[in-house]
Amino acid sequence: MIKYFKIVSLFVVLHLHAESIIIDGDLSEPEWEKAEVIDRFYEVSPYTLKETDPSERTKALIFSNKDGIYVGFKNFQNKGSMLSRKSMRDEMTSISEKNSINIDFDGDGSKAYIIAVSLANSLFDAIKVQSGGFKTDWDGDWVAKAKEYENYWISEFYLPWDMVLMNQPEGDKRKIRYSALRYIAKDQSWLSSAGTMAMRAAYFEELDILEIDNYTKSRFDFFPYVSSNINSVTKIEDNKVGAEFFYNTGKGQQANLAVNPDFGQAESDDVVINFSAQETFYSEKRAFFTENQSLFNISNYERYSVINTRRIGSAPGYNCSSEENESNCNESKKNYSDIDFALRLTQKKNDNEVGFFIAQEKDEAYSIGRDYFALRARTKVNDKTIGYMVTQVIDDLNNTTSTVNVFDYIQVKSDKLKLYTDLLVSEKENQSGLGFRTQFVYLPTKFTKTSGSILYFEDDFKLNDFGYLQRNDWVHIGVGADVKKIDFDDSSSIKQLESGIDINYDADTNGNSNPIRIDQRNEITFKNTSAFKFDFGFRSSGKNTTITRKDEIYSFVKVKNRISITADYEAINYKFWTYDWRVSFEDGDKYSTWDSNGYKKKFFKIAGSIYPNDFLKINTQFRVRKENEWLNWIDGNNLATYDLQQKTISIDLNWFKDNKHEIRLKSQFVAVEADNPRSLISDFNGYLKQGTADVKPFTKGVASFQLRYKYEIAPLSNLYIVYSRGGNDYDDEIDRKTSAIFRNPWENPSDEIFSIKFRLRY
């Protein structure tokens, strides 16, 4: 096996040297002498727009040839101030010198790729789409190398023409929009040649324009994989062989096919204990769904997403009560579905894009797999982008078909004003539902922003078969404003002050108003790189229309006013460590209809990072949340208040050996204690009153532990060895100590999995 790794690595090295430029952190090749030169940079984080200090000047070079686009940076800096700490891929928060190139390859403002490398040769890539989303789950096929010199350091990028799906313009020239960026670690400051970065609302309009030589290049990639998973608790062993195929014609068409894919995750999700009526949204981490998927992205923050690919391969449905052998059915239940295949076809030509997506789950012993379909089209007419998508899920087990039609519209009125609109219609089991979103973003100046949105989702609107919807039966109106101040005296310790306010009104479609929320935010960035945030919040009295899970008679509960204050501090990065903390307090009025003392909440967090060298980082965090009169739904019209305490301990470790070996430890342990229960019910008008139900205190513990070794055989070819252990423990009978709540789910896990996976690229 080691001999095989060496052969593959040698092939990759020979491939890189076969290009016209050697990617080695050296810009001495003659081709660089004819490159476009960029040497004016502006500070964009903090957003001061000040030009670069001459002692830390930056020069970027860009040119293209038949192989792709090349970008080089020469960063002048005192050698003693250079930081080069290794980090995980896509971990942009690491304290290390960085360079980044942001490119909108088609120059049409619909999508840009953010590509970065650190001085420690850690890589980052993400996609920024026109509708506002910023996704780091895409891993592209590109190469970069950084190298340190005496009074400067260099980074070098190679972006092949077949790296992404591009439109093919007529002629031999391509007009791109771009920005070259540099991160200075000691100042925690980002510099940009275009005076913008991806978090800016006017990002696409502020990018610079450059005309480069254009070429076409097709690519076919074959990714076979072998994986084995053994669960020592459930005694289930799962061995798989499959493959993924990626074909880019180089002329605007791309096809992606996965056959018997392994959609298991090599990285665990964060632990979220959710007692609310809203489902928790988890981002996608599986490779097939992150490649060339942005065309199908129609979403609005975490309020909704028309396609949530985490649905595919989720737990199968079962009707064990109708089976002859009900006990065998119950014992055969799985928490995931295997996949027969998934296929995605996309094409981009001029201002038009179309795409087709299909995935089919395997039939199980007591379940039938679901089928997923999506068809997407989008076109740009002057300053308007108009799109349409239809999705469908066929569930033969439950004999249902769910269809969603979406019309989306974006208009860039100017570099100061953008308008967004989505119209959604769902149909399932002969019921139709309507959804609607309209939003504006207005930038009066470079330092101010105003935004507003209206959302409307009918009670019969259903998106969650394929997509994600935070809640239906929902009316939302929100407005917000932000302002930055940077003109502080040289003697001041403050570098930037940012303030904002958000006002949100929510209700159900019957006009039952939820509490009005007003949030006022402030953040001070100091010249020594530390930061302090303090926020104020107000929640008016109103109706909670989700807690009773849409009970036909008791559809809401009236809740009281609340006010809150939160303070958050992030310290400077010392030589080997740093820390941050947060405290929050919230108070609510007393209820007069039962024996209430008023809602109170306290939250404390302390976190720290230790980095004894550039290749090891340890993160720890401890959080405590305490709530008096925490209101929780039991069933029907039965509710209860508790004195709740939740403690969370997190320990993460990242260790690197050169650029090939990586060990990651990720763990979270949560202990919930709910004491002093009091039974409550709601009357017809939503007023809470003392109930008579027997409500017991309870404790809940959750443990999540993952140790992962990753070996990079070649770019996008990896070996994973993963050990995962997790458990969930609930008890409403015994008054347990906190230590036992932490310990029990670890000692009695629901899953203990050892996995090994090869994924190779040919």
Side-chain angles (χ1 to χ4, degrees), residues 32 49 197 245 251 259 436 475 535 673 738 761:
W32 289 109
L49 292 183
M197 61 189 311
F245 305 85
K251 298 180 180 180
V259 179
F436 174 77
V475 177
D535 303 336
E673 301 173 70
T738 303
R761 174 192 173 195

Side-chain angles (χ1 to χ4, degrees), residues 282-325:
Y282 291 101
S283 62
E284 184 59 76
K285 296 182 173 68
R286 301 171 297 185
F288 180 84
F289 290 126
T290 62
E291 168 66 21
N292 194 32
Q293 186 69 18
S294 60
L295 174 62
F296 298 89
N297 177 35
I298 302 177
S299 60
N300 181 235
Y301 308 114
E302 291 189 358
R303 295 167 178 164
Y304 67 86
S305 181
V306 178
I307 288 184
N308 174 22
T309 51
R310 290 292 290 264
R311 301 285 185 206
I312 304 171
S314 59
Y318 296 93
N319 290 324
C320 291
S321 59
S322 63
E323 298 288 345
E324 290 184 7
N325 197 330

Side-chain angles (χ1 to χ4, degrees), residues 499-516:
S499 295
I501 187 169
D502 293 315
I503 303 173
N504 292 283
Y505 168 81
D506 296 277
D508 66 15
T509 54
N510 291 321
N512 294 309
S513 298
N514 299 157
I516 295 173

Side-chain angles (χ1 to χ4, degrees), residues 642-686:
Y642 301 83
D643 291 337
L644 181 79
Q645 179 172 268
Q646 178 173 318
K647 296 179 180 178
T648 303
I649 298 173
S650 301
I651 302 173
D652 299 337
L653 179 149
N654 297 327
W655 177 81
F656 307 89
K657 188 180 187 304
D658 57 57
N659 291 319
K660 295 290 185 181
H661 304 273
E662 174 187 299
I663 292 177
R664 179 172 191 179
L665 167 66
K666 184 176 181 180
S667 63
Q668 282 184 283
F669 301 90
V670 183
V672 177
E673 301 173 70
D675 297 322
N676 193 24
R678 283 172 285 184
S679 174
L680 296 174
I681 60 172
S682 172
D683 66 15
F684 293 106
N685 295 314

Side-chain angles (χ1 to χ4, degrees), residues 299-300 304 420-422 424 435-439 454-456:
S299 60
N300 181 235
Y304 67 86
Y420 306 87
T421 300
D422 294 337
L424 308 94
F436 174 77
R437 185 264 296 209
T438 187
Q439 183 175 354
I454 299 174
L455 283 79
Y456 175 83

